[in-house]
Amino acid sequence: MTANDVTLSDIRAARERIAGKVERTPTVPSPNLSGHLGAPVYLKLEHRQITGSFKLRGASNAIASLNAGEKARGVVAASTGNHGRALAHAAKLEGMRATICMSRLVPQNKLDEIRRLGAEIRIVGNSQDDAQQEVDRLVAEDGLIMLPPFDHPDIIAGQGTLGLEIIEQVADAALVLVPLSGGGLAAGVAAAVKGVSPGTKVIGVSMARGAAMKASLDAGHPVLVEELPTLADSLGGGIGLDNRLTFSMCRDLLDDVILLNEDEIAAGIRHAYEQEREIVEGAGAVAIAAVLAGKVGASGPTVLILSGRNIDMTLHRKVVCGEAFKESAA
Ligand SMILES: *Cc1c(COP(=O)(O)O)cnc(C)c1O
């Protein structure tokens, strides 16, 4: 642990701060996936969170932590969609202005939703890094407050509240599978879960196409990876070469990282729909996909986080019919 790490007490404080602003989502058993794994499998239904993803936890905590002067200036972020959506919602609740910068790769459905939530949108460049440069400019020139999607202590602590719920709902969890991109969710959940239940393992799951945290962990320091289109679009983007918190927390707290190809992610979305009767986006399906692909060992009760549901429904229909992943993987 380094001095900058987000601790269990930070996460407990976050929970107090966001109580009443986010849902406590259910965790339910999956008899079907338990059969696949050979151990009890539970699904944490966080895709049912307000705004359709766990990102509302971190956004609500970060906004509630601002002082009055900061609230008056308004917030800004770069986002592949769900963070922007969460910030827009949380800022509106607080009566604040939110500006969201995003790249041209962001799907139209996510953009429309953020606009509907009342945020200002700026579309810049072809990558998360280009969008981030616009954020930096607005911070420097207009004095807006930046709330990044993952590498911020209040964001990580907010996401960690999901981990507290998991251990309350499945006290004997042996393993938690967490969708992994920038690592705010994985760092927060691992800090919470291991803080309360040190013997529980936490494993991150990413898509093979552009897995920045995995490449960085292998290299021993943050590295750049090429951004590629993937069904798990919410897992796209780098971790930042100047990463402050999530790289070291993931290095110290995660027991492993699993990578999945596009066919495997499509199978996860399809399984969620047909067997579990849940609509999830690609990023939200990776924990299910890891079990279906046989990439997880049975060590005891296993909790899979379904992290989001904000998928374009035309794409969802194609995936369920077995078409779309072939296009996106081409
Ligand atoms: C942001 C996001 C993730 C990844 O979270 P990180 O904190 O960036 O690792 C996973 N699933 C969904 C649905 C997301 O929106």
Side-chain angles (χ1 to χ4, degrees):
M1 288 263 273
T2 63
N4 288 330
D5 274 358
V6 173
T7 64
L8 184 57
S9 63
D10 297 328
I11 296 168
R12 288 187 166 135
R15 174 141 80 172
E16 298 289 310
R17 219 175 274 126
I18 68 178
K21 296 177 178 163
V22 305
E23 297 282 342
R24 179 186 167 94
T25 52
T27 294
V28 299
S30 168
N32 185 306
L33 287 169
S34 302
H36 274 280
L37 185 63
V41 171
Y42 297 86
L43 306 177
K44 174 65 166 162
L45 304 180
E46 184 67 11
H47 63 299
R48 297 194 194 166
Q49 185 56 258
I50 301 163
T51 71
S53 85
F54 71 88
K55 292 258 184 5
L56 189 63
R57 296 174 183 267
S60 298
N61 186 48
I63 281 182
S65 302
L66 296 175
N67 64 38
E70 290 168 330
K71 283 181 182 164
R73 283 151 67 191
V75 293
V76 62
S79 175
T80 56
N82 285 337
H83 175 60
R85 191 173 186 152
L87 266 187
H89 176 88
K92 193 176 183 186
L93 262 192
E94 210 72 33
M96 286 171 61
R97 201 179 137 208
T99 304
I100 308 298
C101 305
M102 56 181 83
S103 89
R104 290 191 195 96
L105 294 182
V106 172
Q108 186 69 33
N109 65 316
K110 294 193 170 185
L111 194 155
D112 290 344
E113 179 67 11
I114 289 167
R115 190 170 278 144
R116 195 183 64 79
L117 288 168
E120 279 173 43
I121 293 177
R122 289 190 191 218
I123 297 173
V124 235
N126 291 312
S127 71
Q128 187 77 0
D129 293 335
D130 292 341
Q132 186 58 45
Q133 281 183 13
E134 177 68 1
V135 171
D136 295 343
R137 197 186 66 75
L138 290 170
V139 170
E141 293 176 15
D142 298 353
L144 302 194
I145 306 287
M146 174 173 71
L147 290 177
F150 53 86
D151 199 22
H152 185 291
D154 298 328
I155 298 284
I156 297 168
Q159 318 308 28
T161 62
L162 197 158
L164 293 180
E165 291 176 18
I166 286 175
I167 291 299
E168 288 162 5
Q169 291 166 326
V170 185
D172 59 347
L175 173 63
V176 179
L177 292 185
V178 191
L180 173 65
S181 175
L185 178 63
V189 165
V193 163
K194 295 192 173 204
V196 178
S197 171
T200 303
K201 289 196 162 27
V202 179
I203 293 180
V205 190
S206 298
M207 71 297 177
R209 292 167 69 89
M213 183 60 83
K214 169 70 172 152
S216 300
L217 293 172
D218 289 349
H221 56 87
V223 296
L224 289 176
V225 297
E226 193 192 350
E227 263 191 75
L228 297 165
T230 168
L231 275 177
D233 56 281
S234 291
L235 300 185
I239 70 165
L241 290 179
D242 55 351
N243 188 288
R244 288 188 303 143
L245 294 168
T246 60
F247 171 74
S248 59
M249 287 183 74
C250 287
R251 180 192 61 206
D252 295 348
L253 294 171
L254 290 185
D255 294 282
D256 201 358
V257 176
I258 294 170
L259 296 184
L260 299 169
N261 67 34
E262 296 297 301
D263 287 13
E264 289 165 340
I265 296 169
I269 295 173
R270 209 176 300 123
H271 177 98
Y273 184 64
E274 289 174 354
Q275 304 299 326
E276 314 293 344
R277 313 292 166 117
E278 301 290 342
I279 293 172
V280 293
E281 58 178 283
V286 294
I288 291 177
V291 170
L292 291 175
K295 293 183 173 174
V296 181
S299 54
T302 297
V303 181
L304 314 184
I305 296 177
L306 277 52
S307 55
R309 69 165 178 226
N310 294 322
I311 186 170
D312 180 286
M313 287 310 291
T314 305
L315 175 62
H316 188 269
R317 259 192 308 278
K318 286 185 186 171
V319 171
V320 166
C321 295
E323 295 171 28
F325 67 90
K326 288 182 189 126
E327 291 164 27
S328 67

